[in-house]
Amino acid sequence: MDFHHIMVAGGGVLGSQIAYQTAFHGFEVYLYDVNDEAIERAKNRIIGLKPAYQRDLEATEDEVNAAFARIQFCTDLKEAVAKADLVIEAVPEVPDIKTAFYEQLAKVAPEKTVFATNSSTLLPSQFAEATGRPSKFLALHFANSIWVHNTAEIMKHPGTDDQVFQDVIEFAKAIGMVPLPIYKEQPGYILNSLLVPFLEAAQMLWVNGVADPETIDKTWMIATGAPEGPFAILDTVGVRTAYNIASGKAKAGKQEYDQLAAKLKDMIDLGKLGRESGEGFYRYPHPRFRDPDFLKS
């Protein structure tokens, strides 16, 4: 593995975490997003990660500041990718957006550059042709709160070069991840093959009026001993991501997702994006499910 310069495309919740985790482990990082407003939001997200690294990883102030200093922020795609050995794509979970991004990226990226998608539910083979380098393309998927939930699912498609696959496994180790190699394409990989149906089941209970989010979460937490319920998890994942998944399924003809997509869109229009905006299904930084009496009444 000979990766030194890493470009992360997309400074959303997870893209910002990937960029900071990579920089924290000594790599030079270029964080690309489409405009100055998006870059400013990404910077604020990353600054907000510093206390978590100090708390959870016992990092020093010098260490968290040095990690931030290793990140360069770019709105020019050609500039962002000019030195990149590896690009990690974390743009919205919408096939057309990802395809268009890869077509642009293929025109300006160096021939050496390996591309990896952080897609939660889509397959690398869907975008392999658009990358212009199918053999140097695969999936590298992270869980949220990357610094503590340090899984890295590495999934090849049939055309991925085996050395590229091994190099990305080694890169994952180098940034503090536990690499989880996946040898056959699977929508949702391992984590989301388990998680997405669980979250969708909870959302359908809500949409169909069976129970409210707090009651659903409380049921799961009491019955299983889990520290969070599905709607608390959705706030971490982000309401926009949940909406993109539901909207995609609705557009694919699965009518049962129409109402779910509409309700999630209403939340987005109200600015209720989850933890990142301070409110989603719960209000932060002191969500109701953290109250000592939440499971008692």
Side-chain angles (χ1 to χ4, degrees):
M1 193 272 289
D2 193 30
F3 299 156
H4 303 284
H5 297 89
I6 312 301
M7 195 267 265
V8 178
V13 173
L14 203 44
S16 295
Q17 291 181 24
I18 295 166
Y20 192 62
Q21 177 76 7
T22 303
F24 184 76
H25 285 270
F27 290 84
E28 295 297 321
V29 176
Y30 298 79
L31 180 56
Y32 165 80
D33 217 319
V34 292
N35 56 45
D36 290 337
E37 289 181 6
I39 287 293
E40 198 59 33
R41 288 194 295 269
K43 286 182 180 178
N44 290 332
R45 288 188 184 102
I46 291 173
I47 290 169
L49 292 174
K50 291 181 180 182
Y53 275 66
Q54 290 176 285
R55 180 188 66 239
D56 297 331
L57 302 183
E58 299 183 351
T60 67
E61 186 172 355
D62 285 347
E63 286 172 332
V64 297
N65 289 336
F68 186 81
R70 281 191 285 270
I71 304 173
Q72 295 186 45
F73 297 88
C74 304
T75 56
D76 184 305
L77 184 59
K78 185 176 181 179
E79 177 186 344
V81 78
K83 296 182 179 179
D85 301 303
L86 171 67
V87 171
I88 303 172
E89 169 267 304
V91 306
E93 194 77 344
V94 179
D96 288 348
I97 293 176
K98 288 187 185 291
T99 298
F101 170 75
Y102 281 119
E103 289 173 346
Q104 287 182 290
L105 183 65
K107 295 175 183 176
V108 294
E111 186 179 343
K112 67 173 182 177
T113 310
V114 171
F115 296 172
T117 179
N118 180 59
S119 171
S120 300
T121 58
L122 304 171
L123 298 176
S125 59
Q126 291 177 250
F127 310 106
E129 184 176 347
T131 69
R133 60 193 71 199
S135 66
K136 295 180 180 176
F137 178 59
L138 75 177
L140 173 59
H141 179 253
F142 300 91
N144 226 308
S145 299
I146 182 175
W147 65 98
V148 287
H149 300 150
N150 61 327
T151 59
E153 297 176 288
I154 301 105
M155 183 166 73
K156 59 168 66 177
H157 68 90
T160 303
D161 182 90
D162 283 339
Q163 187 59 55
V164 169
F165 185 60
Q166 293 302 321
D167 286 346
V168 174
I169 289 172
E170 291 304 312
F171 169 75
K173 292 178 185 177
I175 62 168
M177 299 290 103
V178 176
L180 305 168
I182 300 174
Y183 302 100
K184 181 180 179 181
E185 283 194 308
Q186 165 64 33
Y189 312 76
I190 299 169
L191 177 60
N192 283 310
S193 290
L194 301 169
L195 181 62
V196 170
F198 166 64
L199 296 180
E200 288 184 348
Q203 290 173 90
M204 289 304 178
L205 291 172
W206 167 55
V207 166
N208 292 327
V210 176
D212 60 77
E214 284 197 8
T215 302
I216 295 166
D217 277 6
K218 190 181 301 183
T219 302
W220 184 256
M221 293 166 70
I222 295 172
T224 67
E228 296 183 355
F231 288 95
I233 295 171
L234 281 163
D235 274 352
T236 299
V237 170
V239 175
R240 280 181 295 205
T241 297
Y243 167 75
N244 287 337
I245 293 171
S247 177
K249 292 187 176 183
K251 289 175 182 176
K254 297 182 179 180
Q255 294 182 354
E256 65 270 30
Y257 289 91
D258 287 339
Q259 190 179 357
L260 174 57
K263 290 196 74 164
L264 294 170
K265 182 64 164 57
D266 288 343
M267 291 181 66
I268 292 169
D269 290 344
L270 292 170
K272 296 181 178 182
L273 308 179
R275 288 178 187 259
E276 67 168 304
S277 68
E279 185 175 1
F281 292 98
Y282 296 91
R283 292 185 178 182
Y284 298 86
H286 304 294
R288 172 83 176 102
F289 65 85
R290 293 290 186 219
D291 289 353
D293 65 345
F294 182 69
L295 301 182
K296 298 176 182 178
S297 60

